[in-house]
Amino acid sequence: MKAKDTFFCSTFSLNCRGRLIEFNEPAVMGIVNLTPDSFYTSSRAMVETDVLKLCEKHLEEGAKILDLGGCSTRPGSEQPSEKEERGRVFPLLTLVRKHFPEALISIDTYRSVIAEEAVKEGADLINDISGWTIDPNMLTVAGRSGVPYVLSHIRGTPETMHLHTEYNNVLTEVAQYFTVKAETLRDAGVKDIILDPGFGFAKSFSDNYRILNNLDHFTRLGFPVMAGLSRKGMIQKALDINAAGSGDGTTVANTVALLKGASIIRVHDAKPAMDAVRILRNLN
């Protein structure tokens, strides 16, 4: 079934290290946390067998992108040293690239030196939660990397972002942030940009849901939009549950994001995310 025959009427493509990948429907990005302290314990994988098992599960269930990160960015988290992040990421990135040569691999980091080396080792995208506000050199690295860049909205850092949740109009301010930064990325040489409004990153509970309900506000900027809602506090709080119990709520939130035009959904659980995509394929 072609995209024009389904609810997903728009397509997008990404140039990943010289390989043009075309998407006729939204893509699922599977989270692979190479950390001991990510907020959802079942997403943590730090030894080879666990990492390969999780990556294989994501891919078998329909994920197109594997997002590897060695630095937890949950609210209030303490950040590891560059040496610690490097030690977590590179042995396992090399392993994943070797075992899954056709998979798209995203490196989830805000450190430019980690991003640059990861691309050399086979990463296909840079997913920077900071929009280069933490490491300004990321802009230069992104420009010369030749891979897509995920431009996320945040204020402050993971340790301080909970102190920066006041907006006059969150939709307008996030859109302005994207517009200015996307132009800067273009000038730096980045060809493919993905927008991530940063659910849970310097946003209040109500602002998170306002962004979700108006996600199409950002699709109008002309770039693919990624929604990272999986098991986050906005879902836990709405349902009065913990991360482990928030799977069904995540599927509902992801379905809303897809209905509002998300091109990529970043998740801990690929199967229910793909189930949502498969159901929506039938809308016309």
Side-chain angles (χ1 to χ4, degrees):
M1 186 177 290
K2 297 180 180 179
K4 67 181 180 180
D5 299 322
T6 73
F7 172 79
F8 304 120
C9 57
S10 62
T11 62
F12 69 103
S13 63
L14 297 175
N15 187 330
C16 300
R17 307 176 75 246
R19 180 166 52 134
L20 185 64
I21 311 297
E22 296 186 353
F23 297 86
N24 291 322
E25 64 183 19
V28 171
M29 174 186 281
I31 299 168
V32 183
N33 286 321
L34 312 175
T35 58
D37 57 344
S38 296
F39 77 90
Y40 180 47
T41 57
S42 295
S43 70
R44 303 173 190 170
M46 298 187 67
V47 298
E48 292 185 2
T49 53
D50 290 345
V51 171
L52 292 177
K53 186 182 299 184
L54 179 57
C55 290
E56 184 175 37
K57 184 173 185 289
H58 279 320
L59 294 171
E60 286 181 347
E61 292 179 351
K64 299 298 184 185
I65 307 168
L66 300 172
D67 192 39
L68 278 61
C71 183
S72 173
T73 53
R74 60 181 172 79
S77 58
E78 294 184 9
Q79 302 310 290
S81 67
E82 179 188 320
K83 181 179 179 180
E84 288 175 308
E85 184 180 2
R86 181 182 299 277
R88 294 171 182 175
V89 168
F90 288 107
L92 296 171
L93 170 60
T94 302
L95 182 75
V96 172
R97 181 76 287 163
K98 178 181 178 181
H99 279 76
F100 306 105
E102 298 302 314
L104 295 178
I105 298 176
S106 166
I107 179 65
D108 181 0
T109 185
Y110 53 74
R111 289 189 169 108
S112 61
V113 293
I114 300 292
E116 186 165 38
E117 187 172 340
V119 171
K120 291 178 181 177
E121 293 297 320
D124 302 292
L125 297 87
I126 296 172
N127 181 13
D128 173 16
I129 59 99
S130 79
W132 76 87
T133 58
I134 295 177
D135 182 352
N137 194 50
M138 182 68 87
L139 176 62
T140 301
V141 167
R144 67 188 179 210
S145 69
V147 303
Y149 178 83
V150 180
L151 171 60
S152 299
H153 178 271
I154 192 176
R155 287 173 166 180
T157 67
E159 295 99 326
T160 66
M161 60 188 177
H162 64 284
L163 303 174
H164 304 283
T165 59
E166 295 296 324
Y167 299 86
N168 291 321
N169 185 312
V170 69
L171 298 178
T172 299
E173 291 177 49
V174 173
Q176 289 173 341
Y177 170 99
F178 282 148
T179 300
V180 171
K181 288 207 167 242
E183 183 176 356
T184 304
L185 285 167
R186 290 290 201 205
D187 291 342
V190 177
K191 294 181 174 57
D192 288 333
I193 301 167
I194 299 163
L195 306 181
D196 179 352
F199 290 103
F201 288 71
K203 313 291 189 306
S204 68
F205 178 83
S206 60
D207 281 337
N208 281 317
Y209 278 98
R210 187 175 182 204
I211 290 171
L212 177 58
N213 192 38
N214 295 276
L215 201 64
D216 51 347
H217 185 78
F218 305 112
T219 65
R220 298 186 191 115
L221 297 176
F223 303 97
V225 172
M226 183 171 83
L229 295 151
S230 188
R231 298 181 181 273
K232 285 190 173 179
M234 60 182 284
I235 297 170
Q236 297 178 43
K237 184 176 180 181
L239 302 176
D240 192 23
I241 52 178
N242 60 17
S246 61
D248 290 343
T250 293
T251 300
V252 174
N254 283 334
T255 302
V256 174
L258 291 167
L259 289 168
K260 294 291 182 176
S263 293
I264 302 173
I265 47 177
R266 180 179 181 271
V267 298
H268 296 96
D269 313 281
K271 184 183 183 302
M274 276 305 305
D275 286 348
V277 172
R278 292 184 183 108
I279 290 294
L280 295 181
R281 281 177 188 164
N282 296 285
L283 301 184
N284 54 54

